[in-house]
Amino acid sequence: MDTPADISAGITAATALLRQHGAADLGHPGGTLLAHLERVEKRLAGWGARPALRLAGLCHAFYGTDGFAESLLPLERRGELASVIGTEAEELVHFYASCDREASYGALAQPGARFRDRFTGRTSSPAPERLRDFAELTAANELDLAEVNEAIRAEHGGALLRLFTTWLPLLTDAAHRNAREVLTLRGEERQAFLHGLERGDVVTGVVSVIADFGVTFVELGGVQAMMNIPEVSWRRIDFPSDVIRVGEELAFTVLDVETEEVDGRERVSLSLKDLRPDPLRELARTRLGQAVRGTVTTGVAFGVFVRVADGVEGLLHDDDLAGRALRVGDEVDVVIAGVNVVQRRVRLTLAP
C-alpha cells in the first residue's frame, strides 16, 4: 500500500470492516469508536506516517486496549484483520493492544526498555522501530481524546505532556509539536498553574530542551520552565548534557515564578542541584582544618585552583606555595584552611 490509491483503498476496506463489527455504534470517550479511530488515522497522516502505521491507527482498538476493554475481534481471528490491512499493520495493532501500560510506559524510551504483554504476561525488549511506532500511535490516540474531550484534557493533559516529553527519543518532531499545541496550558488555566507555584516548591518535570546557550527547558505538564547552567550541578560543568539528558524525569526546586502581573512576562526558574547534597557544606562540616589530597585544575596569576572534592575547588595562593611550581594535573596535599559558604570560596595552604 505505497501509492495514494492503495492507502485510500486500504482505509475504505478497513472502515467497512470496522462498521461490520459495530464500531460506528460503540460508545467511546471520543464520541463513537469509529469517529475516534478515523480521527487518529487522519492525525497520523498529518504527521507524515507511513501507510501501515496509518492503517494501524485506524484499527488500533480491534482487540481492545488497556484503556478501552471492548474488543471487535477475538485474538484467534487476527487473520481476518490482517487480510484487510496487511500483516505489518495488523502486527502493530496487536502490539498496541497487548501493552500493559502501567508496566511499560514509564521506561519506554530508555535503552533496553521492557515491554509487558497484558495478554500473555511476558516481558520483552522490542526493537526500536516497533517502540517508535507504538509511541507515535499512542500519542495520536491520546491527543485526539484530549482535543475532543475537555474533561480528559483537564484531568490527564499535564501527565500526558510529561510522558510524551520522556518519549522524545521515540516521537517524530511533528508528533511532539502537536502534543505541545494540544496540551500546553493557556489562559486562566495557565495563570492558575503559575499562581499555584511558590519559591521552594519541589516539582517533577521532564527535560525537554538543552539549548546551545546552556539553558535547559523543563516540561512541568503544560508549562515549560527553565534552568540556568549554574543550577544544574554543584560541580563545574561545560554543558548541562554532561549531567542530564533530554527526556529525563527529575525533581526540581522552584527558584522563582514570574507572572504577567509582575513584569509582563512569564517565567518559572528551577534548580536541580538544590535537592542534591552541597559538597562545599559537607567539606566545611567534615574536613575544615584537615589535610586532603587534591588535583590542580587551573593556574591563575595569583596561584592555582585545586579540586579537593567532587564539585569543590579551592585557591592555593602564591603566598602559600613557598616557591613551589605546580602545573595543571599535579596532585598536591593541602589543608582546608577556610571555607565561606556564602561566597563559595575555599582557602587552601600546603600541607606540612
Side-chain angles (χ1 to χ4, degrees), residues 266-342:
E266 297 175 345
R267 178 179 297 169
V268 180
S269 301
L270 303 177
S271 174
L272 179 63
K273 73 178 186 182
D274 192 58
L275 293 176
R276 310 291 173 86
D278 182 351
L280 180 64
R281 292 181 180 273
E282 181 65 13
L283 184 84
R285 187 179 68 83
T286 61
R287 306 306 297 269
L288 185 62
Q290 298 183 19
V292 299
R293 173 155 290 192
T295 303
V296 177
T297 59
T298 312
V300 293
F302 44 85
V304 295
F305 281 94
V306 179
R307 184 172 61 247
V308 291
D310 187 26
V312 180
E313 295 182 1
L315 175 65
L316 185 56
H317 199 278
D318 278 339
D319 294 343
D320 297 310
L321 280 171
R324 182 174 175 180
L326 292 174
R327 296 175 299 179
V328 172
D330 286 349
E331 291 190 346
V332 58
D333 292 319
V334 295
V335 173
I336 311 297
V339 177
N340 187 305
V341 295
V342 175

Side-chain angles (χ1 to χ4, degrees), residues 106 110 162-163 165-166 201-210 216-221 225 227 231-233 237 240-254 270-276:
Q110 296 178 11
R162 286 195 299 272
L163 175 66
T165 306
T166 69
D201 282 348
V202 177
V203 295
T204 299
V206 182
V207 178
S208 56
V209 179
I210 299 177
T216 299
F217 294 93
V218 178
E219 180 56 59
L220 299 182
M227 176 173 60
E231 296 301 328
V232 176
S233 175
I237 59 174
S241 55
D242 294 339
V243 178
I244 56 178
R245 59 177 173 77
V246 171
E248 190 171 10
E249 187 169 27
L250 299 163
F252 302 86
T253 299
V254 175
L270 303 177
S271 174
L272 179 63
K273 73 178 186 182
D274 192 58
L275 293 176
R276 310 291 173 86

Side-chain angles (χ1 to χ4, degrees), residues 56-272:
L58 178 62
C59 298
H60 71 263
F62 247 100
Y63 310 132
T65 71
D66 199 9
F68 187 73
E70 293 286 346
S71 173
L72 304 181
L73 271 177
L75 292 178
E76 56 267 25
R77 293 169 60 185
R78 289 177 58 186
E80 294 180 31
L81 181 59
S83 67
V84 174
I85 66 174
T87 300
E88 181 186 5
E90 190 280 330
E91 287 179 352
L92 286 173
V93 171
H94 179 265
F95 185 74
Y96 181 84
S98 74
C99 179
D100 180 328
R101 298 180 180 183
E102 184 176 356
S104 306
Y105 271 14
L108 198 70
Q110 296 178 11
R114 303 294 290 170
F115 183 95
R116 187 176 188 277
D117 186 319
R118 70 187 182 95
F119 296 140
T120 66
R122 300 192 187 100
T123 59
S124 63
S125 295
E129 296 79 7
R130 179 55 57 89
L131 291 177
R132 284 194 287 269
D133 285 340
F134 176 85
E136 200 86 346
L137 203 165
T138 300
N141 175 63
E142 300 295 347
L143 290 180
D144 175 71
L145 292 177
E147 199 160 50
V148 303
N149 190 316
E150 177 59 26
I152 290 177
R153 190 197 63 78
E155 183 176 356
H156 301 292
L160 284 173
L161 191 48
R162 286 195 299 272
L163 175 66
F164 294 152
T165 306
T166 69
W167 288 3
L168 275 173
L170 301 175
L171 292 173
T172 60
D173 290 342
H176 183 244
R177 283 196 305 271
N178 197 196
R180 291 203 55 78
E181 290 167 1
V182 173
L183 301 175
T184 293
L185 295 177
R186 293 178 175 82
E188 292 182 0
E189 281 187 315
R190 184 179 185 86
Q191 288 300 308
F193 183 95
L194 291 171
H195 284 288
L197 292 177
E198 294 182 341
R199 177 180 174 84
D201 282 348
V202 177
V203 295
T204 299
V206 182
V207 178
S208 56
V209 179
I210 299 177
D212 293 339
F213 49 89
V215 172
T216 299
F217 294 93
V218 178
E219 180 56 59
L220 299 182
V223 170
Q224 200 167 61
M226 61 174 290
M227 176 173 60
N228 291 319
I229 193 167
E231 296 301 328
V232 176
S233 175
W234 288 110
R235 63 184 175 89
R236 187 169 59 188
I237 59 174
D238 295 322
F239 304 100
S241 55
D242 294 339
V243 178
I244 56 178
R245 59 177 173 77
V246 171
E248 190 171 10
E249 187 169 27
L250 299 163
F252 302 86
T253 299
V254 175
L255 294 182
D256 194 22
V257 183
E258 300 175 2
T259 66
E260 290 183 344
E261 283 80 358
V262 176
D263 60 1
R265 61 180 178 175
E266 297 175 345
R267 178 179 297 169
V268 180
S269 301
L270 303 177
S271 174
L272 179 63

